[in-house]
Amino acid sequence: MITYELVLADGRIVDGCGNPWYDGDLAIEQGHIADIAPAGSLHGKQTIDVNGRFIAPGFIDIHTHSDLSILVNRRAESAVRQGVTTQLIGNCGMSPAPLDEAHMTEQKQQWGPISDQPEVSWGWHTFGEYLDTLQGGGLGINIASLAGHGALRIAGMGLSEGMASETVLHKMKILLAEAMQAGAFGMSTGLVYPPGCYASTEEIISLCRVVAKFHGIYASHIRGERETILDAVAEAIHIGRDAGVPVQISHNAPKFGAPCDASANLGLVEKARANGQDVTVDNDLHTDLAPALTGGLPQELQDLPAEEIAALLRNTERRAEIRAEIIADRKPAFGPVGLLKHAQWQRITLLHAPHSPEAVGKTIQTIASERGCEPFEAYFDLIVENGHAAEAIFDYIDEANIRILLKHPAVMICSDGQVLAPYGFLNEPPPYSPCSYGEFPGALERYVRDEPVLSLQEAIRKMTSFPAQRLGFRDRGVLREGAWADIVVFDLERIHDRATNLYPHPYPFENYPHQYPNGIDYVFVNGSMVVGEGEHTGALPGKVLKNSH
Ligand SMILES: [Zn+2]
């Protein structure tokens, strides 16, 4: 009889492919799944009885922004505690590589204060050197990466607003080819953020042709997720068709101000698929986002130093122009700005404002009536008083759209979060990011167990084999002999997200500062236990995964 290193005994095995669970033992040996057999039939040097609990492939989070935070917290605390064993970084046009020395300041500016942390050495230039840095210090989870179009553009022309010249475009293509060769899984864009919002469709198509040569994907935070959402989805599909690349439409819930519900954008995806084009979608299950108030300003002002922004807003004439520009929204701004445009001030709750403590926890609507001014004026005044430090929770997504997306077979579940931890720099002050702590347990708790929007096997498929297929992982995302042992063991009865605050939320928030979820008992990454009995073991067995096609 074979004695394996480790056996998970008598669990309910959900294989990741969408099949209902079955009872079984699962053996791990040398990083891989060595055997799966009827309960009670496998023997291990170590055996963990997981009776009554589910054994699933580790969750693959296809949309995250952990590019720098994983360097600060290599244990990947908030991710692995959710059962995530692989993340895709480099989304929304942002990646810290390639890095051009001449444009270091602009590249750093994109990331804010974390870029000055000692763990973030900026000791790389090429994409490959950045991947080496990631692997060098060890990782709690596996990391795969996209090359950000914004990083390519910054390396070519900084944050300039104009078109990319032939010379710049040529340089961007060379850097992109280098990144693809080094193992990038494709290119991402963030077409509502600087500098992506300055790029033409043609610029993106010509870059995607490079991606096509290496069989990568095009992932896009599209050019507007509200009033222009259908045009923006159509643009992404057009780019994919013209360049010959598969398209991944990122976090594709319509935001407040969209003229339609999610079935309209999904309709365009279905049509493209019916025409033979490979287009898929991901979405996060939260209705809120907590950006800085300055993120609501027109794109070219967002990154100015706080004093310059304050000076502009103190000038009555400029203030009126900025307000008109926000409402006109000619270069569609990111989702939350819909609440400004459509005067939904009761959906914006102030979270941090060091110089206006009396206003924290109140909506802009309430702050304005207390101050006896118009809400737009209160919004601007809070920026003048607090600069980039003013942050608010924008409740800008209708949960009905989240359900529509969840049920669609071409939609995967992603977090759109990043690796965080309730200690150290990443918790000073605690960021409001429920998706970073509670995405996957929350999905199982709210949409599988408490309200059966999805079957368990379908939810697991959207977290495992489906994103694995999108990224070309043949040996992850499923429970099968020979696959890498990326595994989560969870208790569906006990599972509980302790990071999400459902809207309308009272203040203080029930689940903020965020805590790790309950019910995620064991997590294995490449066969090593990273979470055991709900606690991090300190192991760093994660690998940098590289596109090799
Ligand atoms: Zn995005």
Side-chain angles (χ1 to χ4, degrees), residues 63 65 91-93 189-190 192-193 220-222 225 250-251 255 334 416:
H63 190 99
H65 296 282
N91 278 289
C92 299
T189 55
V192 294
Y193 301 116
S220 184
H221 179 148
I222 58 175
E225 298 179 292
S250 303
H251 47 55
K255 278 64 180 183
F334 79 147
D416 194 14

PDB file of all heavy atoms in Angstrom, residues 63 65 91-93 189-190 192-193 220-222 225 250-251 255 334 416, ligand 1:
ATOM      1  N   HIS A  63      -8.560  39.058 -11.353  1.00  0.00           N
ATOM      2  CA  HIS A  63      -8.447  40.523 -11.445  1.00  0.00           C
ATOM      3  C   HIS A  63      -8.037  41.108 -10.104  1.00  0.00           C
ATOM      4  O   HIS A  63      -8.861  41.310  -9.210  1.00  0.00           O
ATOM      5  CB  HIS A  63      -9.763  41.147 -11.910  1.00  0.00           C
ATOM      6  CG  HIS A  63      -9.606  42.603 -12.240  1.00  0.00           C
ATOM      7  ND1 HIS A  63      -9.454  43.076 -13.525  1.00  0.00           N
ATOM      8  CD2 HIS A  63      -9.530  43.697 -11.445  1.00  0.00           C
ATOM      9  CE1 HIS A  63      -9.310  44.386 -13.511  1.00  0.00           C
ATOM     10  NE2 HIS A  63      -9.352  44.792 -12.259  1.00  0.00           N
ATOM     11  N   HIS A  65      -4.921  43.836  -7.959  1.00  0.00           N
ATOM     12  CA  HIS A  65      -3.961  44.942  -8.032  1.00  0.00           C
ATOM     13  C   HIS A  65      -2.891  44.781  -6.954  1.00  0.00           C
ATOM     14  O   HIS A  65      -2.500  45.744  -6.311  1.00  0.00           O
ATOM     15  CB  HIS A  65      -4.700  46.270  -7.871  1.00  0.00           C
ATOM     16  CG  HIS A  65      -5.673  46.531  -8.982  1.00  0.00           C
ATOM     17  ND1 HIS A  65      -5.271  46.963 -10.220  1.00  0.00           N
ATOM     18  CD2 HIS A  65      -7.010  46.391  -9.057  1.00  0.00           C
ATOM     19  CE1 HIS A  65      -6.334  47.095 -11.005  1.00  0.00           C
ATOM     20  NE2 HIS A  65      -7.403  46.756 -10.325  1.00  0.00           N
ATOM     21  N   ASN A  91      -3.533  44.534 -13.725  1.00  0.00           N
ATOM     22  CA  ASN A  91      -4.821  44.861 -14.337  1.00  0.00           C
ATOM     23  C   ASN A  91      -5.079  46.365 -14.456  1.00  0.00           C
ATOM     24  O   ASN A  91      -4.385  47.180 -13.868  1.00  0.00           O
ATOM     25  CB  ASN A  91      -5.937  44.196 -13.518  1.00  0.00           C
ATOM     26  CG  ASN A  91      -6.111  42.734 -13.892  1.00  0.00           C
ATOM     27  OD1 ASN A  91      -6.595  42.422 -14.985  1.00  0.00           O
ATOM     28  ND2 ASN A  91      -5.699  41.834 -13.012  1.00  0.00           N
ATOM     29  N   CYS A  92      -6.096  46.699 -15.225  1.00  0.00           N
ATOM     30  CA  CYS A  92      -6.564  48.082 -15.398  1.00  0.00           C
ATOM     31  C   CYS A  92      -5.458  49.002 -15.928  1.00  0.00           C
ATOM     32  O   CYS A  92      -5.425  50.199 -15.609  1.00  0.00           O
ATOM     33  CB  CYS A  92      -7.142  48.653 -14.107  1.00  0.00           C
ATOM     34  SG  CYS A  92      -8.559  47.732 -13.512  1.00  0.00           S
ATOM     35  N   GLY A  93      -4.550  48.440 -16.714  1.00  0.00           N
ATOM     36  CA  GLY A  93      -3.501  49.249 -17.334  1.00  0.00           C
ATOM     37  C   GLY A  93      -2.301  49.504 -16.448  1.00  0.00           C
ATOM     38  O   GLY A  93      -1.319  50.091 -16.880  1.00  0.00           O
ATOM     39  N   THR A 189      -5.707  47.237 -20.147  1.00  0.00           N
ATOM     40  CA  THR A 189      -5.861  48.685 -20.268  1.00  0.00           C
ATOM     41  C   THR A 189      -6.791  49.187 -19.170  1.00  0.00           C
ATOM     42  O   THR A 189      -7.629  48.445 -18.662  1.00  0.00           O
ATOM     43  CB  THR A 189      -6.482  49.117 -21.624  1.00  0.00           C
ATOM     44  OG1 THR A 189      -7.723  48.419 -21.803  1.00  0.00           O
ATOM     45  CG2 THR A 189      -5.556  48.839 -22.787  1.00  0.00           C
ATOM     46  N   GLY A 190      -6.636  50.472 -18.866  1.00  0.00           N
ATOM     47  CA  GLY A 190      -7.528  51.176 -17.935  1.00  0.00           C
ATOM     48  C   GLY A 190      -7.937  52.459 -18.648  1.00  0.00           C
ATOM     49  O   GLY A 190      -7.289  53.479 -18.513  1.00  0.00           O
ATOM     50  N   VAL A 192     -10.275  54.600 -18.481  1.00  0.00           N
ATOM     51  CA  VAL A 192     -10.862  55.765 -17.817  1.00  0.00           C
ATOM     52  C   VAL A 192      -9.821  56.497 -16.978  1.00  0.00           C
ATOM     53  O   VAL A 192     -10.092  57.559 -16.446  1.00  0.00           O
ATOM     54  CB  VAL A 192     -12.042  55.373 -16.899  1.00  0.00           C
ATOM     55  CG1 VAL A 192     -13.199  54.837 -17.727  1.00  0.00           C
ATOM     56  CG2 VAL A 192     -11.609  54.351 -15.865  1.00  0.00           C
ATOM     57  N   TYR A 193      -8.643  55.884 -16.838  1.00  0.00           N
ATOM     58  CA  TYR A 193      -7.598  56.470 -15.999  1.00  0.00           C
ATOM     59  C   TYR A 193      -6.487  57.059 -16.856  1.00  0.00           C
ATOM     60  O   TYR A 193      -6.215  56.560 -17.955  1.00  0.00           O
ATOM     61  CB  TYR A 193      -6.953  55.382 -15.124  1.00  0.00           C
ATOM     62  CG  TYR A 193      -7.908  54.654 -14.213  1.00  0.00           C
ATOM     63  CD1 TYR A 193      -8.155  53.298 -14.373  1.00  0.00           C
ATOM     64  CD2 TYR A 193      -8.554  55.330 -13.180  1.00  0.00           C
ATOM     65  CE1 TYR A 193      -9.021  52.618 -13.513  1.00  0.00           C
ATOM     66  CE2 TYR A 193      -9.419  54.656 -12.334  1.00  0.00           C
ATOM     67  CZ  TYR A 193      -9.648  53.303 -12.500  1.00  0.00           C
ATOM     68  OH  TYR A 193     -10.496  52.638 -11.660  1.00  0.00           O
ATOM     69  N   SER A 220      -9.491  44.392 -20.228  1.00  0.00           N
ATOM     70  CA  SER A 220      -9.740  45.826 -20.230  1.00  0.00           C
ATOM     71  C   SER A 220     -10.718  46.308 -19.167  1.00  0.00           C
ATOM     72  O   SER A 220     -11.814  45.769 -19.010  1.00  0.00           O
ATOM     73  CB  SER A 220     -10.256  46.275 -21.603  1.00  0.00           C
ATOM     74  OG  SER A 220     -10.401  47.688 -21.629  1.00  0.00           O
ATOM     75  N   HIS A 221     -10.276  47.340 -18.444  1.00  0.00           N
ATOM     76  CA  HIS A 221     -11.200  48.215 -17.729  1.00  0.00           C
ATOM     77  C   HIS A 221     -11.627  49.194 -18.815  1.00  0.00           C
ATOM     78  O   HIS A 221     -10.866  50.061 -19.221  1.00  0.00           O
ATOM     79  CB  HIS A 221     -10.500  48.925 -16.566  1.00  0.00           C
ATOM     80  CG  HIS A 221     -11.381  49.851 -15.791  1.00  0.00           C
ATOM     81  ND1 HIS A 221     -11.239  50.089 -14.455  1.00  0.00           N
ATOM     82  CD2 HIS A 221     -12.443  50.619 -16.175  1.00  0.00           C
ATOM     83  CE1 HIS A 221     -12.157  50.955 -14.041  1.00  0.00           C
ATOM     84  NE2 HIS A 221     -12.893  51.299 -15.083  1.00  0.00           N
ATOM     85  N   ILE A 222     -12.844  48.999 -19.287  1.00  0.00           N
ATOM     86  CA  ILE A 222     -13.290  49.634 -20.536  1.00  0.00           C
ATOM     87  C   ILE A 222     -13.496  51.139 -20.395  1.00  0.00           C
ATOM     88  O   ILE A 222     -13.513  51.671 -19.296  1.00  0.00           O
ATOM     89  CB  ILE A 222     -14.557  48.934 -21.066  1.00  0.00           C
ATOM     90  CG1 ILE A 222     -15.664  48.988 -20.003  1.00  0.00           C
ATOM     91  CG2 ILE A 222     -14.233  47.496 -21.463  1.00  0.00           C
ATOM     92  CD1 ILE A 222     -16.992  48.421 -20.487  1.00  0.00           C
ATOM     93  N   GLU A 225     -18.075  52.855 -17.772  1.00  0.00           N
ATOM     94  CA  GLU A 225     -18.885  51.719 -17.303  1.00  0.00           C
ATOM     95  C   GLU A 225     -20.281  52.201 -16.911  1.00  0.00           C
ATOM     96  O   GLU A 225     -21.002  51.522 -16.211  1.00  0.00           O
ATOM     97  CB  GLU A 225     -18.207  51.068 -16.105  1.00  0.00           C
ATOM     98  CG  GLU A 225     -16.846  50.497 -16.458  1.00  0.00           C
ATOM     99  CD  GLU A 225     -16.168  49.877 -15.260  1.00  0.00           C
ATOM    100  OE1 GLU A 225     -15.790  50.632 -14.340  1.00  0.00           O
ATOM    101  OE2 GLU A 225     -16.024  48.657 -15.234  1.00  0.00           O
ATOM    102  N   SER A 250     -13.112  43.423 -17.843  1.00  0.00           N
ATOM    103  CA  SER A 250     -12.887  43.431 -16.391  1.00  0.00           C
ATOM    104  C   SER A 250     -14.071  44.009 -15.626  1.00  0.00           C
ATOM    105  O   SER A 250     -14.725  44.947 -16.101  1.00  0.00           O
ATOM    106  CB  SER A 250     -11.640  44.258 -16.074  1.00  0.00           C
ATOM    107  OG  SER A 250     -10.517  43.736 -16.766  1.00  0.00           O
ATOM    108  N   HIS A 251     -14.317  43.446 -14.429  1.00  0.00           N
ATOM    109  CA  HIS A 251     -15.338  43.947 -13.480  1.00  0.00           C
ATOM    110  C   HIS A 251     -16.459  44.675 -14.205  1.00  0.00           C
ATOM    111  O   HIS A 251     -16.685  45.858 -14.009  1.00  0.00           O
ATOM    112  CB  HIS A 251     -14.684  44.821 -12.399  1.00  0.00           C
ATOM    113  CG  HIS A 251     -13.707  45.867 -12.877  1.00  0.00           C
ATOM    114  ND1 HIS A 251     -14.030  46.817 -13.807  1.00  0.00           N
ATOM    115  CD2 HIS A 251     -12.410  46.080 -12.565  1.00  0.00           C
ATOM    116  CE1 HIS A 251     -12.983  47.588 -14.024  1.00  0.00           C
ATOM    117  NE2 HIS A 251     -11.982  47.150 -13.301  1.00  0.00           N
ATOM    118  N   LYS A 255     -22.293  50.640 -13.726  1.00  0.00           N
ATOM    119  CA  LYS A 255     -22.274  51.484 -12.542  1.00  0.00           C
ATOM    120  C   LYS A 255     -23.407  52.516 -12.617  1.00  0.00           C
ATOM    121  O   LYS A 255     -23.972  52.735 -13.688  1.00  0.00           O
ATOM    122  CB  LYS A 255     -20.917  52.201 -12.438  1.00  0.00           C
ATOM    123  CG  LYS A 255     -19.794  51.352 -11.819  1.00  0.00           C
ATOM    124  CD  LYS A 255     -19.399  50.133 -12.610  1.00  0.00           C
ATOM    125  CE  LYS A 255     -18.287  49.325 -11.970  1.00  0.00           C
ATOM    126  NZ  LYS A 255     -17.871  48.180 -12.797  1.00  0.00           N
ATOM    127  N   PHE A 334     -14.063  57.183 -14.163  1.00  0.00           N
ATOM    128  CA  PHE A 334     -14.371  55.864 -13.608  1.00  0.00           C
ATOM    129  C   PHE A 334     -15.748  55.853 -12.934  1.00  0.00           C
ATOM    130  O   PHE A 334     -16.364  56.896 -12.695  1.00  0.00           O
ATOM    131  CB  PHE A 334     -13.238  55.342 -12.731  1.00  0.00           C
ATOM    132  CG  PHE A 334     -13.143  55.899 -11.335  1.00  0.00           C
ATOM    133  CD1 PHE A 334     -12.670  55.099 -10.300  1.00  0.00           C
ATOM    134  CD2 PHE A 334     -13.501  57.198 -11.050  1.00  0.00           C
ATOM    135  CE1 PHE A 334     -12.563  55.581  -9.008  1.00  0.00           C
ATOM    136  CE2 PHE A 334     -13.401  57.689  -9.762  1.00  0.00           C
ATOM    137  CZ  PHE A 334     -12.936  56.872  -8.742  1.00  0.00           C
ATOM    138  N   ASP A 416     -11.054  42.163  -7.735  1.00  0.00           N
ATOM    139  CA  ASP A 416     -10.661  43.548  -8.019  1.00  0.00           C
ATOM    140  C   ASP A 416      -9.996  44.168  -6.779  1.00  0.00           C
ATOM    141  O   ASP A 416      -9.969  45.386  -6.635  1.00  0.00           O
ATOM    142  CB  ASP A 416     -11.857  44.385  -8.487  1.00  0.00           C
ATOM    143  CG  ASP A 416     -11.432  45.706  -9.110  1.00  0.00           C
ATOM    144  OD1 ASP A 416     -10.236  45.878  -9.419  1.00  0.00           O
ATOM    145  OD2 ASP A 416     -12.299  46.597  -9.269  1.00  0.00           O
TER     146      ASP A 416
HETATM  147 ZN    ZN B   1     -10.455  48.559 -13.038  1.00  0.00          ZN
END
